[in-house]
Amino acid sequence: MAGKLYLVPTPIGNLGDVSRRARDTLEAVDLIAAEDTRVTVKLLNHLDVKKPMVSYHRHNCETAGPEILRRLEEGESCALVTDAGTPAISDPGEGLVALCAARGVPVEALPGPCALTVALSVSGLPTARFTFEGFLPQNKKNRRAVLDGLAAEERTMVFYEAPHKLCATLEDLEAVFGPERPMAVCRELTKLHEEVLRLTIGEARAHFAVQEPRGEFVLVVGGRPPRQEAGDEEAAVARAEALRQEGLPLKQAAAQAAEEFGVKRRSIYNRIVGKEG
Ligand code: SAM
Protein backbone atom coordinates (compact mmCIF):
# COMPACT_ATOMS: atom_id res chain seq x y z
CA MET A 1 0.00 0.00 0.00
CA ALA A 2 1.27 3.46 -0.90
CA GLY A 3 2.44 5.75 1.87
CA LYS A 4 1.28 9.31 2.18
CA LEU A 5 2.69 12.73 1.40
CA TYR A 6 2.05 15.30 4.12
CA LEU A 7 2.28 19.00 3.26
CA VAL A 8 3.56 20.60 6.45
CA PRO A 9 3.50 24.41 6.74
CA THR A 10 6.35 25.98 8.70
CA PRO A 11 6.61 29.46 10.28
CA ILE A 12 7.14 32.48 8.00
CA GLY A 13 9.16 34.22 10.70
CA ASN A 14 7.88 33.38 14.16
CA LEU A 15 8.85 29.92 15.44
CA GLY A 16 5.87 30.03 17.78
CA ASP A 17 3.60 29.58 14.76
CA VAL A 18 4.50 25.94 14.18
CA SER A 19 1.49 23.84 15.13
CA ARG A 20 1.47 20.83 17.40
CA ARG A 21 0.11 18.76 14.56
CA ALA A 22 2.96 19.91 12.30
CA ARG A 23 5.48 18.78 14.92
CA ASP A 24 3.73 15.45 15.46
CA THR A 25 3.65 14.82 11.71
CA LEU A 26 7.34 15.64 11.28
CA GLU A 27 8.10 13.22 14.07
CA ALA A 28 5.87 10.44 12.72
CA VAL A 29 6.90 10.31 9.03
CA ASP A 30 9.70 8.16 7.59
CA LEU A 31 11.42 11.04 5.82
CA ILE A 32 11.24 14.78 5.29
CA ALA A 33 11.64 16.38 1.87
CA ALA A 34 12.95 19.90 2.43
CA GLU A 35 13.59 22.85 0.11
CA ASP A 36 16.81 23.63 1.98
CA THR A 37 17.89 21.03 4.53
CA ARG A 38 20.10 23.60 6.31
CA VAL A 39 17.06 25.78 6.99
CA THR A 40 14.85 22.84 8.02
CA VAL A 41 17.41 21.34 10.36
CA LYS A 42 17.19 24.51 12.49
CA LEU A 43 13.44 24.05 12.80
CA LEU A 44 13.84 20.34 13.59
CA ASN A 45 16.38 21.16 16.29
CA HIS A 46 13.96 23.70 17.76
CA LEU A 47 11.24 21.01 17.77
CA ASP A 48 13.62 18.33 19.01
CA VAL A 49 12.83 16.10 16.03
CA LYS A 50 15.46 13.93 14.35
CA LYS A 51 14.57 12.56 10.95
CA PRO A 52 16.27 11.63 7.67
CA MET A 53 15.93 14.41 5.09
CA VAL A 54 16.14 14.61 1.31
CA SER A 55 16.28 17.81 -0.66
CA TYR A 56 13.53 18.82 -2.99
CA HIS A 57 13.92 22.25 -4.59
CA ARG A 58 13.37 23.99 -7.91
CA HIS A 59 16.77 22.93 -9.30
CA ASN A 60 16.47 19.20 -8.54
CA CYS A 61 12.72 18.58 -8.51
CA GLU A 62 12.77 16.79 -11.87
CA THR A 63 14.98 14.03 -10.45
CA ALA A 64 14.11 14.27 -6.74
CA GLY A 65 10.33 14.22 -7.40
CA PRO A 66 10.20 10.76 -9.03
CA GLU A 67 12.58 9.38 -6.37
CA ILE A 68 10.33 10.60 -3.54
CA LEU A 69 7.31 9.23 -5.43
CA ARG A 70 9.02 5.83 -5.69
CA ARG A 71 9.56 5.74 -1.94
CA LEU A 72 5.95 6.78 -1.31
CA GLU A 73 4.73 4.02 -3.63
CA GLU A 74 6.83 1.55 -1.66
CA GLY A 75 4.88 2.53 1.45
CA GLU A 76 7.04 5.18 3.12
CA SER A 77 5.46 8.36 4.47
CA CYS A 78 7.00 11.72 3.66
CA ALA A 79 6.52 15.26 4.97
CA LEU A 80 7.18 18.05 2.49
CA VAL A 81 8.37 21.35 3.95
CA THR A 82 9.71 24.51 2.34
CA ASP A 83 11.92 27.24 3.77
CA ALA A 84 8.89 29.08 5.11
CA GLY A 85 5.14 28.88 4.84
CA THR A 86 2.84 26.48 3.07
CA PRO A 87 4.38 24.03 0.60
CA ALA A 88 3.15 24.35 -3.00
CA ILE A 89 2.20 28.04 -2.64
CA SER A 90 4.76 29.82 -4.87
CA ASP A 91 7.11 26.95 -3.96
CA PRO A 92 8.39 23.96 -5.92
CA GLY A 93 6.03 21.67 -3.92
CA GLU A 94 3.22 21.90 -6.46
CA GLY A 95 5.11 19.56 -8.83
CA LEU A 96 5.38 16.81 -6.21
CA VAL A 97 1.69 17.10 -5.34
CA ALA A 98 0.83 16.81 -9.05
CA LEU A 99 3.01 13.68 -9.36
CA CYS A 100 1.26 12.08 -6.37
CA ALA A 101 -2.18 13.07 -7.65
CA ALA A 102 -1.42 11.55 -11.05
CA ARG A 103 -0.29 8.26 -9.46
CA GLY A 104 -3.05 8.05 -6.86
CA VAL A 105 -0.67 8.52 -3.92
CA PRO A 106 -2.59 10.11 -1.01
CA VAL A 107 -1.68 13.68 -0.08
CA GLU A 108 -2.73 15.34 3.16
CA ALA A 109 -2.31 19.09 3.65
CA LEU A 110 -1.99 20.55 7.14
CA PRO A 111 -3.24 24.13 7.57
CA GLY A 112 -0.73 26.68 8.80
CA PRO A 113 1.33 29.80 8.11
CA CYS A 114 1.16 31.32 4.65
CA ALA A 115 2.31 34.85 3.78
CA LEU A 116 -0.63 35.24 1.38
CA THR A 117 -3.37 34.76 3.97
CA VAL A 118 -1.56 36.69 6.71
CA ALA A 119 -1.15 39.71 4.39
CA LEU A 120 -4.66 39.55 2.99
CA SER A 121 -6.28 39.30 6.39
CA VAL A 122 -4.34 42.25 7.84
CA SER A 123 -4.57 44.43 4.70
CA GLY A 124 -7.81 46.23 5.53
CA LEU A 125 -8.89 45.69 1.90
CA PRO A 126 -11.90 43.62 0.81
CA THR A 127 -11.20 39.92 1.34
CA ALA A 128 -14.43 38.30 0.13
CA ARG A 129 -13.03 37.88 -3.37
CA PHE A 130 -9.34 38.03 -4.24
CA THR A 131 -6.83 36.82 -6.78
CA PHE A 132 -3.38 35.54 -5.86
CA GLU A 133 -0.80 36.43 -8.49
CA GLY A 134 2.33 35.10 -6.76
CA PHE A 135 5.56 36.60 -8.14
CA LEU A 136 5.31 38.91 -11.15
CA PRO A 137 7.72 38.21 -14.04
CA GLN A 138 11.19 39.73 -13.57
CA ASN A 139 11.32 41.05 -17.11
CA LYS A 140 9.69 44.51 -17.31
CA LYS A 141 7.82 43.87 -20.55
CA ASN A 142 6.35 40.60 -19.28
CA ARG A 143 5.54 42.17 -15.90
CA ARG A 144 3.65 44.97 -17.59
CA ALA A 145 1.81 42.47 -19.77
CA VAL A 146 0.60 40.57 -16.67
CA LEU A 147 -0.43 43.81 -14.94
CA ASP A 148 -2.16 45.10 -18.09
CA GLY A 149 -4.22 41.90 -17.99
CA LEU A 150 -5.30 42.85 -14.46
CA ALA A 151 -6.23 46.47 -15.27
CA ALA A 152 -9.96 45.76 -15.03
CA GLU A 153 -9.69 43.31 -12.10
CA GLU A 154 -12.30 44.11 -9.46
CA ARG A 155 -11.07 41.61 -6.88
CA THR A 156 -8.33 42.41 -4.38
CA MET A 157 -4.97 41.32 -5.83
CA VAL A 158 -2.10 39.77 -3.85
CA PHE A 159 1.50 39.70 -5.07
CA TYR A 160 4.71 38.32 -3.59
CA GLU A 161 7.72 40.57 -4.17
CA ALA A 162 11.45 40.61 -3.52
CA PRO A 163 12.95 43.79 -1.98
CA HIS A 164 15.27 44.57 -4.91
CA LYS A 165 12.33 44.55 -7.34
CA LEU A 166 9.85 46.43 -5.17
CA CYS A 167 10.42 49.94 -6.57
CA ALA A 168 10.14 48.82 -10.20
CA THR A 169 6.96 46.91 -9.38
CA LEU A 170 5.41 49.89 -7.57
CA GLU A 171 6.12 52.06 -10.62
CA ASP A 172 4.35 49.55 -12.83
CA LEU A 173 1.44 49.21 -10.42
CA GLU A 174 1.05 52.99 -10.49
CA ALA A 175 1.15 53.09 -14.28
CA VAL A 176 -1.51 50.40 -14.64
CA PHE A 177 -3.85 51.01 -11.68
CA GLY A 178 -3.26 54.74 -11.11
CA PRO A 179 -1.72 56.53 -8.08
CA GLU A 180 -4.94 56.68 -6.06
CA ARG A 181 -5.61 52.94 -5.81
CA PRO A 182 -5.44 51.75 -2.18
CA MET A 183 -2.94 49.07 -1.25
CA ALA A 184 -1.24 47.47 1.72
CA VAL A 185 2.51 46.88 1.74
CA CYS A 186 3.08 44.03 4.19
CA ARG A 187 6.70 43.61 5.23
CA GLU A 188 8.42 41.05 7.46
CA LEU A 189 5.13 39.53 8.61
CA THR A 190 5.23 37.78 12.00
CA LYS A 191 8.84 38.96 12.48
CA LEU A 192 10.41 41.52 14.81
CA HIS A 193 10.27 44.30 12.22
CA GLU A 194 6.79 43.52 10.91
CA GLU A 195 5.25 46.54 9.17
CA VAL A 196 1.91 47.00 7.43
CA LEU A 197 1.57 50.22 5.45
CA ARG A 198 -1.97 50.95 4.29
CA LEU A 199 -1.70 53.70 1.68
CA THR A 200 -2.24 54.48 -2.00
CA ILE A 201 0.00 53.10 -4.73
CA GLY A 202 1.35 56.62 -5.37
CA GLU A 203 2.20 57.07 -1.68
CA ALA A 204 3.89 53.65 -1.57
CA ARG A 205 6.01 54.48 -4.61
CA ALA A 206 7.06 57.81 -3.07
CA HIS A 207 7.80 56.16 0.30
CA PHE A 208 10.12 53.51 -1.14
CA ALA A 209 11.83 56.01 -3.43
CA VAL A 210 13.47 57.40 -0.27
CA GLN A 211 13.32 54.36 2.05
CA GLU A 212 15.36 51.42 0.84
CA PRO A 213 13.12 48.29 0.76
CA ARG A 214 14.39 45.60 3.15
CA GLY A 215 13.00 42.20 4.05
CA GLU A 216 10.19 40.13 2.59
CA PHE A 217 7.13 41.73 1.05
CA VAL A 218 3.56 40.91 0.16
CA LEU A 219 1.66 43.57 -1.78
CA VAL A 220 -2.11 43.65 -1.50
CA VAL A 221 -3.79 45.93 -4.06
CA GLY A 222 -7.44 46.95 -4.04
CA GLY A 223 -9.46 45.94 -7.09
CA ARG A 224 -10.98 48.38 -9.56
CA PRO A 225 -14.16 49.92 -8.17
CA PRO A 226 -17.22 48.29 -9.78
CA ARG A 227 -18.53 50.05 -12.89
CA GLN A 228 -21.95 51.01 -11.57
CA GLU A 229 -20.23 53.22 -9.02
CA ALA A 230 -18.70 56.44 -10.33
CA GLY A 231 -15.84 55.48 -12.62
CA ASP A 232 -12.37 56.17 -11.31
CA GLU A 233 -11.50 58.96 -13.71
CA GLU A 234 -8.11 59.67 -12.15
CA ALA A 235 -7.03 56.07 -12.58
CA ALA A 236 -8.48 55.94 -16.09
CA VAL A 237 -6.43 58.98 -17.14
CA ALA A 238 -3.28 57.44 -15.63
CA ARG A 239 -4.03 54.20 -17.45
CA ALA A 240 -4.53 56.01 -20.79
CA GLU A 241 -1.25 57.88 -20.27
CA ALA A 242 0.52 54.59 -19.56
CA LEU A 243 -0.95 53.05 -22.69
CA ARG A 244 0.30 56.00 -24.72
CA GLN A 245 3.78 55.49 -23.31
CA GLU A 246 3.51 51.94 -24.56
CA GLY A 247 2.91 53.38 -28.05
CA LEU A 248 -0.88 53.56 -28.43
CA PRO A 249 -2.28 56.71 -30.10
CA LEU A 250 -4.23 59.02 -27.75
CA LYS A 251 -7.66 58.13 -29.16
CA GLN A 252 -7.12 54.41 -28.82
CA ALA A 253 -5.53 54.76 -25.38
CA ALA A 254 -8.51 56.80 -24.15
CA ALA A 255 -10.96 54.27 -25.62
CA GLN A 256 -9.24 51.31 -23.98
CA ALA A 257 -8.95 53.03 -20.59
CA ALA A 258 -12.61 54.10 -20.85
CA GLU A 259 -13.63 50.50 -21.44
CA GLU A 260 -11.51 49.18 -18.59
CA PHE A 261 -12.52 51.80 -16.04
CA GLY A 262 -16.11 52.48 -17.03
CA VAL A 263 -15.37 56.16 -17.60
CA LYS A 264 -16.44 58.25 -20.62
CA ARG A 265 -13.83 58.13 -23.39
CA ARG A 266 -14.31 61.82 -24.15
CA SER A 267 -13.61 62.94 -20.58
CA ILE A 268 -10.34 60.99 -20.51
CA TYR A 269 -9.39 62.41 -23.91
CA ASN A 270 -10.26 65.98 -22.88
CA ARG A 271 -8.35 65.73 -19.60
CA ILE A 272 -5.18 64.55 -21.33
CA VAL A 273 -5.43 67.17 -24.06
CA GLY A 274 -6.16 69.81 -21.37
CA LYS A 275 -3.10 68.75 -19.36
CA GLU A 276 -0.89 68.92 -22.40
CA GLY A 277 -2.28 72.37 -23.23
N1 SAM B 1 5.11 29.14 0.50
C1 SAM B 1 5.31 30.44 1.08
C2 SAM B 1 4.01 30.88 1.74
O1 SAM B 1 3.23 30.03 2.14
O2 SAM B 1 3.79 32.09 1.90
C3 SAM B 1 5.81 31.45 0.06
C4 SAM B 1 7.14 31.12 -0.52
S1 SAM B 1 7.71 32.28 -1.65
C5 SAM B 1 9.10 31.42 -2.28
C6 SAM B 1 8.49 33.49 -0.65
C7 SAM B 1 7.76 34.84 -0.68
O3 SAM B 1 6.69 34.84 0.26
C8 SAM B 1 8.63 36.02 -0.30
O4 SAM B 1 9.38 36.51 -1.39
C9 SAM B 1 7.59 37.04 0.16
O5 SAM B 1 6.98 37.68 -0.94
C10 SAM B 1 6.57 36.11 0.83
N2 SAM B 1 6.87 36.00 2.27
C11 SAM B 1 7.32 34.91 2.91
N3 SAM B 1 7.48 35.17 4.23
C12 SAM B 1 7.11 36.46 4.41
C13 SAM B 1 7.05 37.33 5.54
N4 SAM B 1 7.40 36.92 6.76
N5 SAM B 1 6.61 38.60 5.36
C14 SAM B 1 6.25 39.03 4.14
N6 SAM B 1 6.30 38.26 3.03
C15 SAM B 1 6.72 37.00 3.16
Side-chain angles (χ1 to χ4, degrees), residues 118 122 187-196:
V118 178
V122 79
R187 188 174 80 84
E188 295 287 84
L189 292 164
T190 77
K191 299 185 194 177
L192 186 64
H193 298 293
E194 168 166 335
E195 182 177 45
V196 178

Side-chain angles (χ1 to χ4, degrees), residues 12 84-86 89-91 113-115 135 160-161 186 188-189 191 216-218:
I12 58 168
T86 298
I89 303 298
S90 287
D91 275 326
C114 180
F135 289 102
Y160 283 170
E161 195 48 284
C186 305
E188 295 287 84
L189 292 164
K191 299 185 194 177
E216 299 197 274
F217 288 87
V218 182

Side-chain angles (χ1 to χ4, degrees), residues 227-239:
R227 287 242 165 108
Q228 49 279 33
E229 290 173 17
D232 185 347
E233 200 166 291
E234 201 69 37
V237 169
R239 171 75 177 136

Side-chain angles (χ1 to χ4, degrees), residues 20 27 41 49-50 53 90 104 109 120 126 128 135 140 160 164 166 168 187 201 214 226 248 258 261 271 273:
R20 185 166 161 187
E27 194 165 56
V41 81
V49 169
K50 287 191 178 35
M53 277 196 275
S90 287
L120 181 67
F135 289 102
K140 184 169 177 70
Y160 283 170
H164 62 280
L166 184 78
R187 188 174 80 84
I201 293 178
R214 291 224 173 104
L248 237 58
F261 285 79
R271 279 186 57 170
V273 170

Side-chain angles (χ1 to χ4, degrees), residues 6-13 17 35 80-94 97 108-118 132 160:
Y6 294 88
L7 307 178
V8 180
T10 54
I12 58 168
D17 292 335
E35 187 177 9
L80 176 67
V81 298
T82 57
D83 288 351
T86 298
I89 303 298
S90 287
D91 275 326
E94 69 174 281
V97 178
E108 193 170 313
L110 279 63
C114 180
L116 153 67
T117 48
V118 178
F132 175 53
Y160 283 170

Side-chain angles (χ1 to χ4, degrees), residues 113-143:
C114 180
L116 153 67
T117 48
V118 178
L120 181 67
S121 58
V122 79
S123 69
L125 291 162
T127 59
R129 297 179 69 221
F130 66 91
T131 165
F132 175 53
E133 296 295 321
F135 289 102
L136 286 163
Q138 300 223 17
N139 169 282
K140 184 169 177 70
K141 195 161 161 252
N142 297 344
R143 191 166 63 231

